[in-house]
Amino acid sequence: MTSRTARTVGGVDRRSFLAGAAAGALLAAPRPVRAAPARVVVVGGGWGGLGAVRALAGRPGIELVLLEPNPAFVSCPLSIHYIVGERPFSDFEHGYATIDALGVRRIREAAVAIDRDRREVATASARIPYDFLVLSPGVEYVEEAIAGFAQARDRLPVGFRPFEQHAVKALVDRFLSEGGTFAIAVPKPPYRCPPAPYERACLVAEQIKKRGTKGKVVVADANPRPLPPPIAEPILEAMRTTYAGLVEYLPDHEVKAVNFEKGALDCGVVDVPFTHANIVPPMRAPRLLREAGLGERWAAVRLPDFRAQGDERIWIVGDAAGTPLPKSGHVAFNAGAVAARAILRRIAGEPEPAAAPTELPAGICFAAVTRDRAIMIAVESSFVPGEGAKSRFHVDPAPTRESSEAAMNWGRSMWQSMLG
Ligand SMILES: Cc1cc2nc3c(=O)[nH]c(=O)nc-3n(C[C@H](O)[C@H](O)[C@H](O)COP(=O)(O)OP(=O)(O)OC[C@H]3O[C@@H](n4cnc5c(N)ncnc54)[C@H](O)[C@@H]3O)c2cc1C
């Protein structure tokens, strides 16, 4: 239900949510008629949220609030090197001290509801009024798409959201010491970072070789070829040659159900047996956004500036936004800055730019094929009014050492821009 009057918000019905506000639970007093500063609330201290925060922090006339429940930022990009035991977790975890030093008011709570009529975000303990809202809470797994998944959730770590890497590492470590069949299930797009499941398959297979594990990786792919299409051939080539006998690739195998006790993925016609499983379920925008009427599966935004459709106070960036752009951290960070610029224009009372062809946020993604060879995928996108968005991919024809080194350098420079 997406109606703005009949919905529930974060599991709380709308009437009690508003009653709480009436009872004076607001963090701040009722908004003054329009005294400066403008309050911008950013939900999510990941790639997209930090893109907005860095572009807005320290600007005159703005009070900036960041809602992020985690104590630190953790990068999903490159964290495969932690999962397979090649790098420490500390390489991918970065604190928010710089954000605090910039004068951003960071609240370590999750947003549980958005009241668009009152322009408030609710957490478990407060209601926070906003003049402008930037939402970048990432993705939610569509668990009900795979029968049996929710029942075995604790034993089926996914590892496509920050901090979940620990549980996937423990799973990979168990497999590498016990042996067996490590099944990786890939959903249909759109999902976060399409090359990531294939990267995981390759790097787990590399550890099988290195540690002498008696076992193999099976990739049950809902798609006919690895994604995105420009990397399909180099990935398949690596599976056929570098990992001959260690990776079995099953195209058009969409997992419909998992029987954890039996150790089987039900792919419709056939069952894929496993001893250890890493199922990547389909994804969607988090419930917070859907319950606020901001979209169905993905949040509905207007390009080129990522403003929510039907709400001129809200911008939605990052993977939750339903755009044709790749769901990438680099794109999310740049989109956060685009949203911030649109907010700054609004605060300054400037008119909206006239519709014209515009560059959209660009991004770089890396798919490691071994611990020291990777494929680089660069994406440039543009928006033409009346025609929509178009993306151009530039991809290494084969994995290289240079791209692997570039990947870590890219990560360090992005984390520096976000949190340094
Ligand atoms: C294995 C893997 C490899 C990847 N490799 C690359 C790569 O090489 N290059 C690349 O560009 N991208 C890569 N990505 C994709 C990248 O991680 C995502 O596109 C990026 O994280 C999207 O940013 P986001 O802000 O939407 O979400 P996130 O970065 O996940 O941030 C969301 C934040 O919101 C917080 N949050 C969630 N709900 C709430 C709430 N209700 N209230 C407050 N806060 C909330 C979360 O705690 C989190 O900190 C990879 C992803 C994975 C999984």
Side-chain angles (χ1 to χ4, degrees):
M1 161 114 25
T2 55
S3 142
R4 290 184 60 189
T5 49
R7 65 182 182 262
T8 60
V9 279
V12 180
D13 78 66
R14 184 176 167 81
R15 189 170 302 169
S16 11
F17 177 65
L18 295 178
L26 292 176
L27 238 199
R31 242 184 322 277
V33 177
R34 187 69 177 97
R39 180 182 282 171
V40 183
V41 175
V42 177
V43 173
W47 291 75
L50 289 173
V53 164
R54 289 311 294 250
L56 291 169
R59 298 281 186 154
I62 291 183
E63 180 195 352
L64 195 50
V65 178
L66 172 62
L67 279 178
E68 167 57 60
N70 285 322
F73 165 87
V74 168
S75 177
C76 288
L78 299 164
S79 63
I80 183 63
H81 297 289
Y82 162 69
I83 289 173
V84 298
E86 294 286 348
R87 281 185 179 270
F89 189 66
S90 56
D91 280 5
F92 309 104
E93 184 181 29
H94 303 273
Y96 287 114
T98 305
I99 301 299
D100 298 344
L102 288 169
V104 178
R105 185 161 148 227
R106 181 165 59 92
I107 300 177
R108 272 201 56 197
E109 281 193 90
V112 296
I114 301 165
D115 187 323
R116 291 165 53 192
D117 297 332
R118 298 178 71 104
R119 300 212 301 266
E120 289 168 8
V121 177
T123 68
S125 70
R127 285 156 202 280
I128 303 162
Y130 63 81
D131 294 300
F132 301 100
L133 181 61
V134 180
L135 298 168
S136 192
V139 293
E140 176 180 294
Y141 304 133
V142 187
E143 293 188 350
E144 68 273 19
I146 299 173
F149 184 93
Q151 292 81 344
R153 180 190 299 126
D154 296 342
R155 290 163 292 168
L156 290 169
V158 180
F160 269 56
R161 291 184 302 210
F163 287 97
E164 294 177 0
Q165 290 93 343
H166 296 306
V168 176
K169 178 172 171 43
L171 175 73
V172 168
D173 284 344
R174 261 199 321 278
F175 162 69
L176 290 170
S177 68
E178 293 167 3
T181 301
F182 190 90
I184 297 182
V186 188
K188 288 198 168 135
Y191 64 92
R192 165 172 280 187
C193 194
Y198 313 105
E199 167 181 86
R200 200 170 278 177
C202 289
L203 266 66
V204 171
E206 184 179 41
Q207 293 297 320
I208 294 177
K209 272 191 190 174
K210 188 172 163 184
R211 302 193 205 179
T213 303
K214 296 207 179 332
K216 64 172 181 179
V217 177
V218 173
V219 181
D221 194 343
N223 305 287
R225 281 164 72 76
L227 293 171
I231 69 155
E233 208 36 59
I235 288 282
L236 289 172
E237 176 67 10
M239 289 177 176
R240 279 192 298 262
T241 56
T242 314
Y243 301 117
L246 298 180
V247 177
E248 189 180 347
Y249 178 72
L250 304 173
D252 295 314
H253 278 59
E254 183 172 19
V255 175
K256 311 271 188 214
V258 53
N259 185 331
F260 190 83
E261 270 63 43
K262 191 174 153 205
L265 301 179
D266 173 357
C267 298
V269 195
V270 286
D271 274 3
V272 174
F274 67 82
T275 55
H276 305 77
N278 180 208
I279 299 173
V280 182
M283 298 178 195
R284 64 185 166 207
R287 193 175 68 158
L288 173 75
L289 276 59
R290 293 178 293 109
E291 287 183 346
L294 291 167
E296 297 292 334
R297 180 170 173 190
W298 301 103
V301 299
R302 185 189 76 157
L303 290 176
D305 73 351
F306 298 88
R307 200 179 82 193
Q309 285 181 18
D311 196 316
E312 56 169 37
R313 299 271 173 173
I314 299 181
W315 278 258
I316 303 157
V317 297
D319 293 349
T323 75
L325 302 183
K327 295 202 179 296
S328 110
H330 200 149
V331 168
F333 181 74
N334 288 336
V338 169
R341 283 197 291 277
I343 291 171
L344 289 170
R345 273 198 305 272
R346 278 284 295 280
I347 292 172
E350 291 170 14
E352 289 209 5
T358 315
E359 288 303 304
L360 292 171
I364 298 182
C365 206
F366 294 91
V369 168
T370 65
R371 58 184 291 281
D372 57 5
R373 286 179 194 270
I375 300 168
M376 186 180 73
I377 308 147
V379 190
E380 290 171 336
S381 305
S382 54
F383 176 78
V384 178
E387 289 180 26
K390 290 198 181 103
S391 294
R392 296 172 300 284
F393 287 85
H394 309 275
V395 178
D396 290 337
T400 64
R401 282 184 198 282
E402 293 71 33
S403 286
S404 180
E405 278 162 25
M408 272 318 284
N409 291 336
W410 165 86
R412 289 190 196 102
S413 87
M414 292 301 299
W415 303 326
Q416 176 69 21
S417 307
M418 295 158 91
L419 294 154

